[in-house]
């Protein structure tokens, strides 16, 4: 049995987030420097370089957004463009099967919700550990548990 983590706890793919944010910042800086170093560019052209860098950084920031926050009353699942609050009683099962890109939460309404905050991409063992911890929390707080 997995020891229950102290609540509140946040699960997020920290290494993936660090890579995405670092790459986004580097892209922004490189495009800004290039725009300033190329002679003969108009102010509009320079601005478009900087804007493109900022846009790419923004996209990578969105991709780094996913997390799962568990507290005493339930779970908040934050994915790239959505966020959903669940009571513990709504979670039937926490799944991370081999080959899955992230955890899936089976819900009492018969649907499955992706929880992108726990993903095996760069840190597989961490994702497995986080999935087990979330499963243990859900089992301990479920009405049948």
């Amino acid at each position: 049995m997995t020891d229950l983590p102290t609540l509140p706890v946040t699960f997020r793919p920290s290494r993936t987030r660090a890579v995405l944010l670092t790459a986004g910042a580097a892209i922004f800086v490189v495009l800004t420097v290039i725009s300033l170093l190329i002679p003969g560019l108009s102010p509009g052209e320079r601005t478009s370089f900087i804007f493109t860098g900022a846009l790419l950084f923004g996209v990578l920031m969105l991709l780094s957004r996913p997390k799962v926050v568990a507290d005493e009353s339930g779970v908040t699942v934050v994915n790239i463009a959505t966020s959903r609050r669940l009571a513990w009683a709504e979670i039937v099962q926490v799944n991370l099967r081999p080959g899955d890109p992230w955890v899936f939460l089976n819900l009492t309404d018969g649907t499955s919700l992706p929880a992108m905050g726990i993903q095996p991409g760069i840190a597989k063992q961490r994702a497995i550990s986080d999935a087990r911890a979330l499963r243990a929390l859900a089992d301990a707080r479920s009405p049948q548990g």
Side-chain angles (χ1 to χ4, degrees):
M1 164 133 186
T2 303
D3 291 330
L4 294 179
T6 305
L7 295 177
V9 63
T10 299
F11 304 103
R12 78 173 354 138
S14 301
R15 287 185 190 166
T16 302
R17 181 176 166 82
V19 168
L20 290 171
L21 293 176
T22 301
I27 289 168
F28 177 73
V29 168
V30 167
L31 287 177
T32 300
V33 169
I34 288 172
S35 75
L36 298 174
L37 292 178
I38 295 177
L41 289 181
S42 71
E45 291 169 328
R46 290 186 201 285
T47 301
S48 70
F49 266 90
I50 295 168
F51 177 76
T52 300
L55 184 64
L56 291 171
F57 183 56
V59 167
L60 292 176
M61 281 181 60
L62 272 178
L63 292 174
S64 72
R65 184 174 181 250
K67 65 182 175 180
V68 177
V69 181
D71 60 33
E72 290 295 334
S73 62
V75 175
T76 302
V77 177
V78 179
N79 288 330
I80 293 171
T82 62
S83 181
R84 183 166 173 192
R85 179 75 183 159
L86 301 166
W88 286 112
E90 292 179 79
I91 302 170
V92 175
Q93 190 175 30
V94 177
N95 287 318
L96 180 60
R97 296 173 299 257
D100 279 351
W102 39 71
V103 162
F104 288 91
L105 304 177
N106 292 339
L107 307 178
T108 55
D109 65 3
T111 63
S112 182
L113 176 68
M116 298 172 73
I118 303 174
Q119 52 182 269
I122 296 175
K124 185 176 182 179
Q125 287 309 113
R126 169 75 187 265
I128 292 169
S129 171
D130 287 352
R132 285 181 179 149
L134 184 59
R135 182 179 300 130
L137 285 167
D139 289 348
R141 286 163 172 71
S142 71
Q144 63 271 16

